[in-house]
Amino acid sequence: MADEGATVLTAAQDAGIYIPALCHCPDVSSQGVCRLCLVRIEGRRRPEPACRTIIEEGMVVFTDDPEIERLRRVILELILSDHDFNCLLCPKSGQCRLQELVNRIGFDEHRFSRLEHTAKDLPIDTSNPFFDFNPNKCVQCTICVRTCHEIAGIDAIDMAYRSDNLRVSTFANKPLKDSVCVSCGECMERCPVGALIPKKFKHPTREVKTTCPYCGVGCGLYLGIRGNTIVRARGDDESPVNHGGLCVRGRFGYDFVNSPDRLSLPLMRAYDEYAQPSSVVEMNEEGRPITLPLVKREGKFVEITWDQAIRYVASSLAHYKGDEIAAISSARCTNEENYLFQKFTRVALETNNIDHCARL
Ligand code: SF4
Ligand code: SF4
Ligand code: SF4
Ligand code: FES
């Protein structure tokens, strides 16, 4: 029993029946450009693309017969004939839909060897800081174009030129970095082959479900881990907040986690460049840290322990109340942390001077 308005392809998928498909992506509208999903429908003269054909009551569909298989093989051979087919060196190998289709459908080696292979040898666009576009691996499925239009709403790319020269292009064929592309990576995420590939591509060995720390939207994401390092991030399709979508920060901005520059201990500006950490937060007879009058002086940072840092901050805050002090919270904190911070500011510091860096 299929849903009303479903296509033959989605109805078959729901019923566990395999129909090959390359240009279909469930997140965007169907265009029916690859023709690999052709099926035969009783009473109709020509095979029809399953991804563009709406089911009807009493419809009899043949998803596989010798003629359909022959057609699919020929179409696949034509797609492969101008594809830069070097799977061994391709980062997408193992997760590539074209590879999967070759394994499923196969091709006639004799006929394929007689096809003229037109190596495109087009320049690879490496201008985007996060991903590369290799037009030689593009199969013109248009998923990226539909994604940029329907999901990102940016329209940074479109199909340009005609026939053999048909390709994905920015306006006036500029490099991606000079286009209106906002680097959200939504297109890259959906590209079925190795044409749009993240710059630092590594296969994760496990995934951890978490929440993006960058802003108050709180998008759900999965971090792909290899060893002890984050190597990719992908949106959580089930998250009611972002439904799998991510912005440039959530998708690519995870380098800080493993950065050697990341602070792992509190730092304090020392008044004496030879000062040892333990001497930094000694208290004077009034209970104030002896460094306090000197904190603004030029000096170098030294590492101190969390206990020392908290004692220093607590004893310093004790000297201010009401309008003498204001507090700024962070969008990177959780809602709970932000709640506690405003409570602390209002109750302990006795001020309503509390704000937040991103009131989303
Ligand atoms: S895109 Fe797919 S088929 Fe093409 S080289 Fe890469 S892995 Fe092979
Ligand atoms: S990264 Fe985002 S904005 Fe840029 S082309 Fe892809 S979908 Fe469009
Ligand atoms: S870049 Fe990828 S998603 Fe875009 S048309 Fe080419 S193969 Fe399809
Ligand atoms: S998946 Fe139907 S035409 Fe491409």
Side-chain angles (χ1 to χ4, degrees):
M1 189 71 178
D3 294 337
E4 200 182 329
T7 62
V8 170
L9 182 65
T10 49
Q13 284 172 341
D14 290 348
I17 299 166
Y18 177 74
I19 297 178
L22 182 58
C23 71
H24 173 74
C25 169
D27 306 335
V28 289
S29 61
S30 253
Q31 261 189 357
V33 291
C34 76
R35 280 344 214 205
L36 278 165
C37 67
L38 288 179
V39 290
R40 204 157 55 74
I41 297 170
E42 199 173 70
R44 300 200 189 169
R45 271 197 316 136
R46 298 200 186 98
E48 309 223 356
C51 69
R52 296 279 293 169
T53 308
I54 306 293
I55 51 159
E56 289 169 17
E57 187 70 39
M59 185 183 252
V60 179
V61 180
F62 299 91
T63 59
D64 222 355
D65 68 16
E67 177 57 9
I68 291 287
E69 274 182 26
R70 188 188 70 80
L71 282 174
R72 285 179 187 155
R73 263 202 289 274
V74 171
I75 293 167
L76 189 58
E77 285 158 18
L78 289 170
I79 293 172
L80 294 173
S81 70
D82 69 348
H83 181 73
D84 174 9
F85 207 71
N86 191 349
C87 296
L88 275 181
L89 297 177
C90 181
K92 193 77 173 189
S93 189
Q95 294 179 332
C96 171
R97 198 154 348 134
L98 190 55
Q99 263 183 343
E100 180 207 312
L101 289 164
V102 169
N103 291 337
R104 287 266 196 167
I105 300 174
F107 57 89
D108 183 326
E109 284 193 32
H110 180 62
R111 189 172 50 209
F112 185 61
S113 63
R114 284 187 298 150
L115 273 175
E116 196 182 331
H117 295 254
T118 44
K120 289 188 237 170
D121 208 16
L122 295 167
I124 299 171
D125 184 349
T126 57
S127 65
N128 184 284
F130 307 108
F131 60 87
D132 294 340
F133 171 51
N134 182 349
N136 305 302
K137 293 208 184 284
C138 175
V139 290
Q140 288 92 32
C141 69
T142 75
I143 289 175
C144 56
V145 173
R146 283 175 276 155
T147 300
C148 193
H149 176 69
E150 295 173 29
I151 295 178
I154 303 292
D155 284 327
I157 47 176
D158 206 338
M159 300 311 288
Y161 308 100
R162 303 181 77 176
S163 185
D164 256 11
N165 289 324
L166 181 72
R167 73 185 80 137
V168 175
S169 173
T170 59
F171 180 70
N173 207 14
K174 288 181 189 158
L176 272 164
K177 87 165 172 18
D178 298 329
S179 74
V180 294
C181 168
V182 294
S183 302
C184 65
E186 293 290 347
C187 54
M188 176 203 82
E189 200 59 41
R190 289 172 180 79
C191 178
V193 295
L196 285 164
I197 287 290
K199 277 202 161 24
K200 291 175 280 177
F201 190 88
K202 276 191 188 153
H203 287 292
T205 49
R206 67 193 164 95
E207 282 194 319
V208 175
K209 184 176 174 165
T210 184
T211 304
C212 177
Y214 273 106
C215 79
V217 173
C219 292
L221 53 80
Y222 283 92
L223 293 176
I225 318 283
R226 191 176 181 91
N228 209 19
T229 307
I230 300 171
V231 292
R232 66 163 283 175
R234 69 175 175 90
D236 177 1
D237 294 334
E238 316 247 294
S239 165
V241 176
N242 54 319
H243 302 287
L246 289 176
C247 75
V248 58
R249 292 177 300 173
R251 191 176 311 282
F252 299 112
Y254 47 75
D255 277 0
F256 74 92
V257 176
N258 293 99
S259 167
D261 296 334
R262 187 174 172 188
L263 299 184
S264 52
L265 276 173
L267 295 181
M268 188 165 185
R269 201 190 295 268
Y271 61 92
D272 171 356
E273 68 176 306
Y274 300 108
Q276 296 302 304
S278 60
S279 69
V280 173
V281 287
E282 281 168 12
M283 306 291 166
N284 63 15
E285 56 281 0
E286 293 157 5
R288 294 170 70 132
I290 55 170
T291 54
L292 192 61
L294 301 163
V295 159
K296 286 186 182 163
R297 271 202 193 163
E298 196 153 331
K300 69 171 194 172
F301 284 102
V302 291
E303 287 181 352
I304 56 174
T305 65
W306 283 107
D307 273 353
Q308 288 173 314
I310 289 166
R311 272 169 54 211
Y312 171 71
V313 173
S315 62
S316 302
L317 286 179
H319 297 278
Y320 305 99
K321 281 275 179 297
D323 282 346
E324 292 173 339
I325 193 162
I328 301 282
S329 186
S330 168
R332 294 206 186 186
C333 297
T334 62
N335 280 346
E336 290 77 6
E337 286 162 344
N338 276 319
Y339 173 81
L340 283 175
F341 190 59
Q342 65 81 30
K343 203 75 180 165
F344 172 78
T345 306
R346 292 196 163 102
V347 175
L349 299 180
E350 296 173 11
T351 180
N352 285 329
N353 298 337
I354 167 89
D355 207 344
H356 187 275
C357 68
R359 277 169 270 145
L360 291 167

